[in-house]
Amino acid sequence: MLEAIDLTKKYGDFTALKSLNLTIKEGEIFCLLGANGAGKSTTINLFLNFIEATKGSATINNLDVAKYAKETKELLSYIPENLMLYKNLSGLENLSFFCGLGGKTQHKDELENLLEESGLQVDFIQKRVSSYSKGMRQKVGIALARARGAKVLLLDEPTSGLDPKASNEFSELLLDMKEKGVATLMTTHDLFRAKDTGTHIGIMKEGVLLEKFETQQVSFQDLEKMYLKHMHN
Amino acid sequence: MINSILLIAKKEIVIALRQNLIRILAVVIMVLLGVALYAGYVAYDQQKYSINNAEEREREEWLGQGDKHPHIAAHYGTFVFKPKTILSLFDFGLDTFTGTSIYLEAHYQHESMFRPAQDHSSMIRFGELSAALVLQILIPLLLIFLAFPAFTSEKENGTLRLLISQGVSYTTIIWGKIVAYISMVFVILAPFFMITIIGYAVLENSSTIPDTILRILLLLAIYILYLFIFVSLSVWVSMKSSTSRNALLTLLTAWILFTIIIPKTTANLGESLYPLPSMKIYREAIQKDITDGLDGKSHMRLRGKQLKEEYLQRYDVDSIHKIPLNFEGIRMQAGEDYGNMVYDVHWKRLKELFNKQNHISSLSSFITPYLAVRNLSMGLAATDLYTSIHFQKKTEKYRRELIRKMNMDMAHNSRYGEFYEYTANKKLWETVEKFTYQTMTASEILSLYSIEIISLCFWAGLVLFLLNYSSRKMKPVL
């Protein structure tokens, strides 16, 4: 579903991402761990075609994102660290607007249901987003991914700054999407969340994917040791 | 793409309508527009009523002036009036400065004919609140307040990334926003257009309907183009600005430059480069040329002597008393003709100065679209300088014909040396037809404003190019 082949991004002499090879299949959640500047967000931006790859390719459903920008964007949904919506519109209006842009116009009742299923309190659905917490906005993001029928989720540190309860609720929603066959690439600093939610984990440092493995293969303690070892080297 | 454009437009409208500043501005502008149109209507109605009454009274007075010597009738004179067009209630233009009536009499081109030497230099100063002024100056300000955060707020709030991640192109976002702002302005203006059209249907003379419809449609097209230029420019500045504050400052600076500083500067530049003579100097120069002759060697006494000799020779007589015409009438008409020739020479020079000043104003429309729309709007409302000059030309032609009729009647029907003994009556007064004035047609007016039309097209092309070029170069905010 998602594939990076020798994916490289350079800014002058600085290599932000070096020869990344990665495959994420349907129903997989790949968590990229790493410190700031490790190349995690660069990877997401390359899959979003926000930046051009220096070398290699990023594909979604076997379509190169650079060549098939519109087609690949129709398949994906993106939730950044801090999902910003239009403050003067309600969650429902935001959802309706972004769904419409993706050509997925849905009835108001269906959208309300989606928001509710995504965990947004009913009495907030019609309220302006200016009164939403970060967690509530992230839930609108999940509702949007569902409404659009996204096959791929690109999440850039989506639980950063969320309280444990909101973070847990978000993970539940991701697992639900995973069950529906959605392929997810999530960057995070949160080892616990990666172990708890991800099917696969990759550790990045200085633009290089140092390790990748299935979550089941390691315990949380091993993951922590492995991560710290890479960070200290 | 159209669906996405409409969605973005709808979203922009909803967000704008939820902002107090925009709501207040819209209401203020609607009130100002309403007041301006109402004031325009009151002025139009009063002037039309006064003109109609005065016209009839003047005609009655002319016809009922009683029996008198034709030359006394020529000095008795008459007033002629420039009819008010329905569109003058929309754009007062220069009517306030030029006036709408002219007094016609023998020997003198009425003061209004000279007034340009005194007043035309200030013709480009505006202060009255007209609907045109609201459209030309205040609506662009509203558009700036609507559009300055078009892109900067998307960048600042982080919604631009989300928008782009939905597969929406910058071109779609740009056009969605432009459609939204233009629609909002159209909603504000629609009631006033309706009022103007209804007013026109009720008030306008049926003979001028096709031309007036054409003028209204042209005005509509010109203002839509003008507002499109402002909207597009605002969206472009927002695209290129790093913050909303910068975008607003840039746009407000541009607005002040476009609508106040550049028009004033170019008007002053025109006056400095091509200064108009004072009325005193202008009149004295005409009087001097009439007295001394245009070549400075043919004094009026000499011309009178030559005329007398010419007539003595023509009728082969030795005394002016023996020619079968009243030589006094011939002499008066000859004096009138010479005065007209001198006036034409001086008027031509003055008109050349006006034209040069106007040319600077026209060319300056390449620096500010405001000047293009202002000049075109006045032209189509028949309240511009060209219409004023056209009216003066027609009245002067009428005056000359009136005086010629009086002088020729005197020449043919009275004897030399006879003055108070001869009187003409209503029959002669009736030979002078009532003055009617028809403004230039819309196409004639447009042909005078080709530079402004080209400049508006240039501006529209420029903003389209800038938007297109910048949208290709834009990168998502990372």
Side-chain angles (χ1 to χ4, degrees), chain A residues 45 48 50-51 70 73 76 78 83-90 93 97-98 100-101 128 144 148, chain B residues 3-4 7-8 11 14-15 18-19 154 157-159 161-168 476-478:
Chain A
N45 285 331
L48 281 164
F50 280 180
I51 51 176
K70 195 171 180 334
K73 283 200 174 93
L76 66 84
Y78 163 64
L83 181 70
M84 298 309 292
L85 301 163
Y86 293 104
K87 290 175 194 167
N88 280 333
L89 300 182
S90 67
E93 286 169 329
F97 169 65
F98 284 110
L101 283 184
R128 291 194 194 175
L144 176 60
R148 282 169 58 95
Chain B
N3 186 41
S4 297
L7 267 171
I8 292 169
K11 182 265 296 176
V14 171
I15 290 176
R18 287 178 184 174
Q19 290 175 50
E154 300 272 9
N157 297 335
T159 44
R161 276 173 73 90
L162 196 60
L163 265 180
I164 298 296
S165 75
Q166 308 300 310
V168 181
V477 183
L478 298 174

Side-chain angles (χ1 to χ4, degrees), chain B residues 85-92 196 212 215-216 219 380-381 383:
Chain B
T85 62
I86 181 76
L87 289 172
S88 65
L89 74 84
F90 165 77
D91 193 337
F92 308 156
T196 309
T212 311
R215 281 168 189 263
I216 289 177
L219 276 172
L380 288 168
T383 56

